[in-house]
Amino acid sequence: MTSAGSEHAAAGFDPLRPTLMRVAYRMLGSVADAEDIVQEAFIRWMRADRSEVREPVAFLRRTVTRLCLDQLKSARRQRETYVGPWLPDPVVEEDEVEDVTLPMMLVLERLSPLERAAFLLHDVFGLGFEEVAAAIQREPAACRQLAARARTHVRQARPRFKVEKQRGLELAEAFFAASRSGDMKALGAMLTADVSAHADGGGKRPAATEPVLGFDAVMQQYERVAAWLQKNGSTLVRVGFVNGLPGFITLEADGELQTTALDIEDGKIAAIYVMRNPDKLRHLH
């Protein structure tokens, strides 16, 4: 292959990289793993006989999907030994992401790899079942069944409540202020009766090893957290959307970053997701 041919192939791949990253990240929940998958797809693209490829984006989406399915087999084994609740890597953006929010990613985590792939490719990325079938190497009828089963699980999870962008960001700022200052009255006014708190420390930093469930338990936890933070400090880095939910990044007393995402239902916080695992926060530095 000529140098010019290689340059042309690489230039053709670059505009597709963001789309392929979206597929890989939503399949895996890991930014680093998604980057590795997309890089491996690039290597295979450079080695492929591209004269035989009619639709580069379809070829690369198939490649990424199959690599992700292989990765999920080993990821499932790793999750069995994971310390505490597992949360997807935080992706922080200025605007709300409509397609796959953090709660939906947790639902997808409970699906089989094939169900997850069929649902994401068809329901989220809008591919026809013929293309889904080519990507996951199953018959179109089987892909329809996989997507339908996944859809049932997604519907059974808590429904997604749309929150107006500015209101969501204001709630995030108010939650940060109340939780750090110890204003428990203000904090309690923001929470639903069945609020839950989930913290992913991955065994690397202190975090509750089980979800904290219910208003009283969450209030007790945050009373302890606030007392500690008032002595040690927590600095707001920025407010934004964390995996599609209103939230914020903070710099904690140990010098590590942390993200907090808030699932809001009818104007109140129904779930709090805190990422403390430094391995999952590296891409935010």
Side-chain angles (χ1 to χ4, degrees):
M1 184 192 300
T2 65
S3 169
S6 294
E7 287 174 14
H8 180 72
F13 183 91
D14 282 341
L16 303 177
R17 197 177 282 271
T19 298
L20 300 175
M21 268 298 293
R22 286 179 70 225
V23 173
Y25 171 72
R26 282 155 178 73
M27 283 280 288
L28 301 174
S30 165
V31 171
D33 288 348
E35 287 172 343
D36 290 345
I37 291 287
V38 172
Q39 190 57 28
E40 177 61 27
F42 173 72
I43 292 166
R44 295 188 181 198
W45 172 243
M46 297 301 287
R47 290 176 182 160
D49 181 355
R50 292 183 298 280
S51 65
E52 298 292 311
V53 178
R54 284 182 300 177
E55 295 183 54
V57 68
F59 170 87
L60 288 165
R61 201 158 35 210
R62 282 197 300 274
T63 303
V64 164
T65 300
R66 288 172 190 167
L67 288 168
C68 286
L69 288 172
D70 290 341
Q71 175 78 9
L72 283 170
K73 290 171 190 169
S74 61
R76 187 148 287 199
R77 287 194 293 273
Q78 290 166 14
R79 302 274 158 81
E80 289 169 4
T81 58
Y82 196 81
V83 178
W86 178 93
L87 296 176
D89 290 10
V91 173
V92 182
E93 295 169 297
E94 294 301 318
D95 287 302
E96 189 174 12
V97 178
E98 292 293 327
D99 58 3
V100 181
T101 59
L102 194 155
M104 185 185 280
M105 290 190 78
L106 293 176
V107 175
L108 296 179
E109 187 65 17
R110 299 197 290 269
L111 305 179
S112 75
L114 287 173
E115 285 171 343
R116 193 186 313 191
F119 176 80
L120 284 170
L121 292 176
H122 180 264
D123 287 45
V124 174
F125 295 108
L127 304 189
F129 281 116
E130 294 290 337
E131 188 170 346
V132 176
I136 69 173
Q137 298 175 304
R138 294 292 187 277
E139 291 298 318
C143 293
R144 279 193 186 85
Q145 290 180 329
L146 288 164
R149 283 205 298 270
R151 222 170 283 128
T152 301
H153 286 286
V154 170
R155 274 199 300 265
Q156 286 170 349
R158 194 200 315 256
R160 174 86 172 105
F161 286 83
K162 178 80 174 144
V163 59
E164 193 268 322
K165 175 184 174 181
Q166 195 53 42
R167 175 64 183 143
L169 297 178
E170 285 169 3
L171 257 175
E173 287 183 355
F175 179 85
F176 169 81
S179 62
R180 270 55 182 180
S181 69
D183 186 345
M184 303 313 290
K185 185 177 178 183
L187 187 71
M190 297 180 215
L191 307 180
T192 62
D194 62 346
V195 64
S196 60
H198 313 254
D200 182 339
K204 307 288 178 74
R205 288 169 80 197
T209 55
E210 296 287 340
V212 180
L213 306 176
F215 181 89
D216 290 343
V218 170
M219 286 292 286
Q220 286 169 13
Q221 183 197 43
Y222 270 92
E223 201 160 5
R224 291 192 298 271
V225 167
W228 192 88
L229 289 175
Q230 283 172 298
K231 293 177 189 170
N232 296 279
S234 174
T235 306
L236 182 64
V237 175
R238 73 178 171 110
V239 174
F241 286 88
V242 181
N243 298 102
L245 301 180
F248 48 84
I249 306 173
T250 50
L251 181 65
E252 297 302 306
D254 60 2
E256 295 281 2
L257 291 177
Q258 175 175 301
T259 61
T260 301
L262 306 172
D263 194 10
I264 297 169
E265 180 181 314
D266 289 339
K268 291 199 169 189
I269 297 165
I272 305 159
Y273 300 98
V274 178
M275 176 56 70
R276 290 179 53 77
N277 185 342
D279 295 345
K280 296 185 177 187
L281 294 159
R282 284 186 191 137
H283 63 283
L284 297 180
H285 285 275

